């Protein structure tokens, strides 16, 4: 991001984009009538949020980068954000204006290095398929059980560059094997958007996004300032060698923007007392 005076931040862009998406009837206002531009008028959002239209204009134009949390909360309510969107909106508000003080987020080789301890965790999870996922949707390491599943799907065609998003949008087997391909595709586009916001100078994430934007299905889903829900809790495949499979997806946070992703067979998930299963995450206990 830039710190030039007047440059619009991700927070400001989300404000503008969301206002353009909503219709008066979405927020309890009378509909009808012709409008020069789609969406709500700035004055309408200002009234709903209890702020002045001039102040809202300064926020949208990037001339004010320090809104209070009370204002952010009021705007989130006025713009009808859900809980996930509201949390993201608040995070953008907190980081707006601080970009020039942040360390560079250009290519960091540490992000792609998997500690030996993490590799040991993956091996210990076998025979449950598991892998380490980096912030760019790149699969950094995996155990033998996941390799047995992934190889017939074409995920390991290039074992040096395994990327879930690239496979999902570019590999012909993805759309015929993932049971709910659209939901999985939405999730991966969302994850790349999250990483792009956190690491705006990362050239590798920018290159992946530019590459995927040549695919119409990705371009249609690419909304860099809007976030979807967390990772789907169920993932199904019509596997070419194993038939119909359903996994409960669990994630464990690791260091340096890495996660351990576990594909727990649905039957095993129902029997696993050592994991308290929460949609999108596992808690060891």
């Amino acid at each position: 991001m830039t710190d030039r005076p007047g440059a619009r931040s991700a927070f400001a862009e989300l404000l503008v984009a969301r206002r353009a998406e909503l219709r008066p009837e979405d927020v309890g206002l009378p509909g009808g009538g012709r409008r020069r531009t789609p969406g709500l008028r700035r004055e309408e959002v200002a009234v709903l949020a209890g702020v002045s239209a001039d102040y809202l204009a300064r926020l949208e134009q990037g001339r004010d980068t320090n809104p209070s949390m009370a204002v952010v909360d009021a705007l989130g309510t006025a713009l009808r954000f859900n809980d996930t969107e509201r949390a993201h909106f608040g995070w953008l508000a907190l980081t707006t204006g601080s970009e020039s003080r942040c360390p560079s987020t250009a290519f960091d080789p540490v992000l792609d290095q998997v500690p030996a301890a993490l590799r040991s965790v993956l091996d210990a999870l076998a025979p449950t398929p598991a892998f380490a996922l980096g912030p760019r949707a790149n699969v950094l390491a995996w155990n033998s059980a996941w390799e047995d599943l992934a190889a017939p799907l074409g995920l390991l065609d290039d074992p040096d560059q395994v990327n879930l998003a690239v496979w999902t949008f570019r590999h012909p087997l993805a759309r015929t094997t993932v049971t709910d391909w659209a939901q999985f595709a939405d999730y991966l586009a969302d994850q790349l958007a999250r990483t792009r916001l956190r690491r705006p100078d990362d050239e590798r994430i920018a290159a992946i996004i530019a590459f995927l934007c040549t695919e119409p299905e990705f371009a249609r889903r690419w909304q860099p300032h809007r976030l979807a829900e967390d990772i789907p809790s169920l993932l199904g495949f019509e596997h070419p060698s194993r038939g119909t499979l359903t996994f409960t997806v669990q994630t464990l946070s690791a260091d340096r923007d890495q996660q351990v992703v576990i594909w727990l067979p649905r039957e095993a998930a129902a029997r696993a007392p050592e994991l308290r299963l929460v949609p999108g995450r596992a808690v060891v206990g």
Side-chain angles (χ1 to χ4, degrees):
M1 292 185 187
T2 178
D3 57 357
R4 296 190 310 272
R8 187 180 284 173
S9 66
F11 173 78
E13 289 181 1
L14 179 52
L15 265 178
V16 174
R18 181 62 168 174
R19 181 163 65 81
E21 290 174 355
L22 292 173
R23 300 169 299 173
E25 49 268 37
D26 294 331
V27 296
L29 296 174
R34 298 185 60 183
R35 294 181 176 233
R36 290 182 298 175
T37 57
L40 297 177
R41 296 186 177 95
R42 184 178 290 149
E43 294 77 9
E44 292 170 332
V45 174
V47 169
L48 290 169
V51 299
S52 72
D54 178 67
Y55 179 62
L56 183 56
R58 296 201 305 273
L59 289 175
E60 290 186 350
Q61 294 163 5
R63 292 186 287 123
D64 190 309
T65 60
N66 190 33
S68 70
M69 284 298 100
V71 167
V72 172
D73 185 61
L75 285 170
T77 300
L79 295 169
R80 301 301 192 265
F81 285 134
N82 62 32
D83 289 344
T84 298
E85 294 166 334
R86 185 184 289 270
H88 172 58
F89 187 57
W91 181 83
L92 289 181
L94 287 172
T95 56
T96 291
S98 63
E99 294 86 355
S100 62
R101 300 191 296 274
C102 293
S104 172
T105 54
F107 172 61
D108 180 359
V110 172
L111 288 177
D112 294 331
Q113 296 175 7
V114 180
L118 185 52
R119 292 182 183 273
S120 297
V121 169
L122 295 176
D123 291 339
L125 285 167
T128 301
F131 57 94
L133 186 67
R136 307 179 187 100
N138 46 335
V139 181
L140 305 173
W142 53 86
N143 62 15
S144 58
W146 191 78
E147 182 174 348
D148 290 343
L149 277 172
L153 297 173
L155 268 161
L156 302 180
D157 286 355
D158 183 355
D160 294 326
Q161 298 185 47
V162 183
N163 187 286
L164 282 184
V166 172
W167 176 79
T168 298
F169 288 98
R170 300 281 298 193
H171 199 287
L173 282 177
R175 300 188 198 197
T176 60
T177 56
V178 179
T179 304
D180 193 341
W181 181 88
Q183 183 190 37
F184 195 52
D186 287 341
Y187 159 70
L188 288 165
D190 169 76
Q191 291 306 296
L192 292 178
R194 290 175 188 264
T195 300
R196 186 61 169 151
L197 286 168
R198 291 197 310 268
R199 309 184 64 82
D201 299 325
D202 189 318
E203 296 178 358
R204 286 198 175 184
I205 189 64
I208 290 171
I209 292 166
F211 175 67
L212 290 175
C213 276
T214 62
E215 289 291 318
E217 285 289 350
F218 181 83
R220 183 170 65 83
R221 288 172 165 80
W222 180 243
Q223 301 182 60
H225 305 303
R226 297 297 309 280
L227 298 185
E229 298 298 329
D230 290 336
I231 185 170
S233 59
L234 293 178
L235 179 62
F237 292 98
E238 293 298 329
H239 198 274
S241 60
R242 299 194 184 186
T244 301
L245 300 172
T246 303
F247 298 98
T248 297
V249 180
Q250 305 295 333
T251 62
L252 298 170
S253 296
D255 292 336
R256 296 193 290 266
D257 288 329
Q258 296 174 6
Q259 293 179 319
V260 173
V261 181
I262 306 166
W263 287 359
L264 193 63
R266 195 174 184 182
E267 301 79 10
R271 301 193 304 266
E274 71 275 13
L275 292 178
R276 288 186 282 117
L277 300 179
V278 183
R281 98 178 28 91
V283 181
V284 178

